[in-house]
Structures are given as structure tokens and as C-alpha cells.
Amino acid sequence: MQEPVLFAHLTDTHINVVGKNPLFGMDTTQKLREAFAELGKLTRKPAFVVISGDLTQDGDVEDYRHLRRVLDEEKEKLGVPVYVALGNHDSRPFFREGYLQEQPSEESYYYSVMEDGLRIVVLNTQVPGTHGGRLDEEQLNWLRGVLAEPAPNGTIIVHHHPVVPTMTPMMDSHLLENPQDLAAAIEGTDVIGLLSGHIHCNNIGVFQGVISAAATGVAFGIEPTSNGSMKFIDNSGYNLVLVKNGQMIVHPMPMAGDQQMVFEWKRDAAHAHA
Ligand SMILES: [Fe+2]
Ligand SMILES: [Fe+2]
């Protein structure tokens, strides 16, 4: 019997370097620091933190350098590793240059890590140049290869664009475009759950027999029955995830904010992107 594993799932931090284009007047860096401060106060420290994309708002190289500094400080304080995925607001070349401190390139960013016998597979659902989400055949091939061997404590997949239907047709238009390919890749494997973001509200359901949980954004929330117009709310949160007896258990941790609507996107206005 494996020991239960506790970790934190954050998403949609939408960080910009301080002083540049503050998102609806909100300080997203401070919100990220507050989430880490809350993790530090828990009775049991999470073993690691994973962030499922939209790391930055504008995706500029200085935003990634700033995010790297902030996360290096916060993970040093908390004393645990931090793993990140990319979302539709992220830029592969500037992420590689500013965050990974590598040569900039359009190379996709997906990988697998093992923590306490639990395998975390981080996928990249970006479609460069668009805000849509899709898994390409190269990544699906890689995923099938990884999942061919089971992990001692099972596998959790982390990805930006969710797969479970939402409360409204408007929100449904933001889901992964080829969920059937992901479903086929995880069928019969040791995958016990999926974690995603992008829609900025908690949305939890069953996908291919396992729990799939989209978390609200660290930067802001979206009112979950938004339809016709999308209401961006000044609240925040993250999820605690426990893996116990082969099950993934998700516990939403809201961070209240002032609950004011900071932006409303109407269908006849310029498109807004979660
Ligand atoms: Fe997104
Ligand atoms: Fe987002």
C-alpha cells in the first residue's frame, strides 16, 4: 500500500512583470504569493505544486523572467518543487528563454515526473497562434508510450484546456477540441485523474471513468453560469489534491477576493480569452 500523496494544483496565474499592463487593475503576482502563503500555513505541507498554464497574461520574455524569480522565491520558502504547464496565453519561445533559461524555440513543452510513486504527466494543449486547445499526434504518441508502463501510485495528467462539459454553451466553446483522442490514450491505463484550468471556475466531472477537475484561476475567476456574456470576478483559489488508495480526491480552496466583477465580455465586443 502506497502512502497518500498530497499536492497543490494552481492554474491561470496570468502574471505580468510588475508595473506592466496590470490585469483589470489586479496584482496577479500578489495573488500567486498569497496562494503559496496559504500552502505554507497548512497542517500538512503539499509534496509539490503544479500550475496548469496561462502562466503569464502577455507571454513576454520579461514576464517569464519575473515569474521565474517569484516562483524560485516561493518554492524556496515552501521547500517543494513546482512544475508548470503552458496555456493559450503563453509563448513557447519566451517561456523557454525567460523561464527555462534555454534557447528560444517553438518546441512544445510536455514531460513526465515521478513524485512519491505518483506519475505526473504534464501536457501542452496549446495551438500556437490561437486560443484553442488540441493534442497533436506527436504528443499523443508520446503519451501512449509513457502510459504503457504503470506507475506505483498511478498517473495524473495535467493540461490547460479542460475536457468535461461546463455549465453553459459559451464555456463549452473553450474545451479541448479532441477529447476523444485523450480518452482513447488513457483507456485501460493507470491514469486516475485529470487536472486542468483555462475556464477560471471549478468544474468537476467524470471523463473516461476518472475524475477530471478544472480549477478556478489564481489570477481571477469567471462566473460559472456565464452565457451570452462572460463575467470576470475578482476572486481566486487553487485545489488541494490527495491521492489515496488509488483514488484522486480534489478539495477546492477558495481565496475570497472582493467578489466584484472586474470585466464583462459581451458577444458583440472584442473577443476575450480565458
Ligand atoms: Fe486559458
Ligand atoms: Fe486563463
Side-chain angles (χ1 to χ4, degrees):
M1 182 72 67
Q2 294 286 331
E3 281 295 305
V5 180
L6 177 74
F7 66 96
H9 170 214
L10 279 58
T11 193
D12 293 83
T13 47
H14 287 261
I15 294 287
N16 270 349
V17 67
V18 173
K20 175 190 150 217
N21 187 21
L23 192 59
F24 313 127
M26 298 183 296
D27 185 343
T28 53
T29 296
Q30 187 55 29
K31 290 188 172 204
L32 178 58
R33 289 195 186 279
E34 285 169 13
F36 270 85
E38 286 209 357
L39 296 177
K41 291 180 200 158
L42 292 170
T43 304
R44 179 176 170 190
K45 184 166 75 171
F48 60 95
V49 175
V50 63
I51 308 177
S52 57
D54 283 358
L55 304 172
T56 62
Q57 171 65 13
D58 294 339
D60 294 328
V61 68
E62 63 264 34
D63 301 326
Y64 290 107
R65 289 198 186 104
H66 169 67
L67 175 67
R68 182 61 191 257
R69 276 194 299 273
V70 172
L71 285 180
D72 280 352
E73 287 172 21
E74 294 300 329
K75 75 180 178 191
E76 177 80 20
K77 276 192 267 182
L78 193 60
V80 302
V82 175
Y83 303 109
V84 299
L86 299 183
N88 53 298
H89 278 265
D90 291 306
S91 153
R92 295 178 185 180
F94 290 143
F95 167 77
R96 288 196 176 274
E97 183 177 352
Y99 189 88
L100 297 180
Q101 288 145 24
E102 293 177 355
Q103 285 300 311
S105 83
E106 287 287 352
E107 189 187 340
S108 190
Y109 184 68
Y110 52 88
Y111 57 97
S112 160
V113 292
M114 196 75 84
E115 285 279 355
D116 298 331
L118 174 68
R119 181 165 53 196
I120 301 294
V121 171
V122 175
L123 298 181
N124 187 350
T125 57
Q126 285 179 304
V127 180
T130 81
H131 285 278
R134 190 171 180 85
L135 287 168
D136 59 25
E137 197 50 39
E138 180 185 310
Q139 197 171 171
L140 287 162
N141 274 334
W142 172 84
L143 177 62
R144 285 187 284 264
V146 169
L147 297 178
E149 289 289 326
N153 219 358
T155 296
I156 289 176
I157 296 180
V158 177
H159 54 107
H160 186 65
H161 296 77
V163 288
V164 167
T166 69
M167 301 278 155
T168 69
M170 173 184 268
M171 301 292 266
D172 280 349
S173 68
H174 293 265
L175 299 177
L176 189 75
E177 291 167 10
N178 58 335
Q180 70 282 2
D181 293 335
L182 181 57
I186 69 174
E187 185 179 8
T189 68
D190 71 344
V191 171
I192 58 170
L194 308 173
L195 300 174
S196 58
H198 186 52
I199 55 173
H200 291 248
C201 57
N202 281 300
N203 194 67
I204 300 170
V206 175
F207 178 79
Q208 191 62 35
V210 299
I211 294 291
S212 172
T216 192
V218 173
F220 62 91
I222 293 178
E223 196 273 291
T225 67
S226 284
N227 204 26
S229 75
M230 198 177 276
K231 299 183 173 95
F232 291 55
I233 311 292
D234 183 6
N235 59 26
S236 183
Y238 58 93
N239 285 351
L240 289 178
V241 183
L242 183 72
V243 174
K244 185 175 175 179
N245 300 335
Q247 260 198 306
M248 183 180 82
I249 298 136
V250 176
H251 188 106
M253 298 288 283
M255 298 168 65
D258 68 9
Q259 299 294 327
Q260 296 301 306
M261 189 172 73
V262 291
F263 180 73
E264 181 173 18
W265 170 66
K266 298 193 168 96
R267 279 194 188 277
D268 57 355
H271 196 45
H273 300 287

